[in-house]
Amino acid sequence: MTKKNTNKPSHSHKTSRPAQTHLHFFEQRRDQMVDTIRRLVEIESPSDNKHAVDRCSAFVAEEFAAIGGRAEFHRSTEYGNHLQVDFVGETQQKPVLLLGHYDTVYPLGTLASMPCRAGNGRLWGPGVLDMKSGIALMLYAVQALQSWHGRLPRPVTVFLVSDEEVGSQSSRQITEALAKQSSAVLVLEPSYGPKGAVKTARKGVGEYLLKVSGVAAHSGLDFEKGQSAILELSKQIIAIAKMVDLKRGLTLNVGLISGGTRVNVIAAEATATIDVRIARMKDAAEIDKRLRSLKPFNRKCKLEISGEVNRLPMERTSGVVSLYNKASAIARQHGWRLTEAAVGGGSDGNFTAGLGIPTLDGLGGVGDGAHAQHEFITISELPKRAALLAGLIESV
Ligand SMILES: [Zn+2]
């Protein structure tokens, strides 16, 4: 009998394990993944509660340490601590950066009215899509690669922040520094739509505060001495609405207004908070200039504007496209078609893409209702997403 050479050293990882085997590996661990996600969701972590977020990050750190990662906290006094986990790899390549956040928009106690539950092939719960399932995908993809190759085929850095939902002020510098040392950034934010498109373009985001000062007066006795800040603000809001240019992907939304003290007093103060979204990099400076050059209609009123475009748009650069092409090829090997989308919301991927580091966003869970009562993920998509992530870590 001819002896087959079954114990020869493994081939290159590209051919030793067919794609279907990889997918199967995750399919077998689907319930475990759901379990991990459930445990993450059940540790509530609203951005504004450091204590709660730290509890969640400690749990996540332990999970990564358990699979051999070197976990290190970047302490923050105001927000929760940020978590960096480094994994060494077989090669000396630059690491690939897996980026995400564990903070959510849901206040402590939300679980009481919005419990984490499974049914109809879905898992519901606060932050399940945005983005606790993304954290679980990181864990399982790293673990899988270790089990397929004995050790990770290349270095991987995981960075999870505590303040993404409130603008990432305290984590941004670290995110950018880590991205600069990495060959690519894979962002595990939720995917887009029911088919789980990845995000190859994101709008930039800004927030401005417009403060109007007028002159208070009794509306009955001294009407003509008053200069209404509310009236002035109303005119400014219309002027701001005229800056919207949908074709350009430029939108401004006055989402909050306040002003006045009493119904019979001409308002001395009024403010508006403006959400700005831009599709093109160069619109950041342009819209900033236009907002700062607003002039009062009533010269006896004063305007004060503060704020900035905080996240630049993630443009569909060639680096982004090449990552997307790699991801599509991996999905095809697994028997499904990956699509891409341009979205209005920003993420920390905007920072890294803004530095010119190839970034692919929306690699996380598939579902709907981020930030809403019906937030859920589709359980059957988890193995596909994990296999996609593992494949990308190997090939970028
Ligand atoms: Zn998110």
Side-chain angles (χ1 to χ4, degrees), residues 323-368:
L323 270 185
Y324 169 63
N325 289 340
K326 277 182 187 157
S328 312
I330 295 165
R332 255 196 315 277
Q333 287 165 17
H334 294 156
W336 60 287
R337 207 172 88 81
L338 179 69
T339 53
E340 61 176 321
V343 296
S347 87
D348 289 347
N350 292 46
F351 298 146
T352 62
L355 295 171
I357 316 294
T359 298
L360 192 61
D361 201 340
L363 285 164
V366 181
D368 194 23

Side-chain angles (χ1 to χ4, degrees), residues 235-299:
K235 293 178 181 171
Q236 294 298 338
I237 291 171
I238 293 166
I240 291 165
K242 286 184 180 152
M243 296 177 190
V244 171
D245 187 341
L246 290 177
K247 270 196 203 133
R248 229 182 141 83
L250 171 66
T251 62
L252 297 95
N253 176 53
V254 176
L256 292 167
I257 55 167
S258 69
T261 49
R262 298 182 72 85
V263 68
N264 59 352
V265 176
I266 292 172
E269 301 260 310
T271 61
T273 312
I274 309 150
D275 173 274
V276 176
R277 307 275 161 157
I278 55 170
R280 305 177 199 187
M281 204 70 90
K282 59 177 192 238
D283 281 347
E286 169 77 22
I287 198 66
D288 187 84
K289 195 174 142 204
R290 287 181 70 187
L291 285 169
R292 285 180 197 285
S293 44
L294 284 170
K295 295 276 177 300
F297 290 89
N298 174 353
R299 288 182 177 196

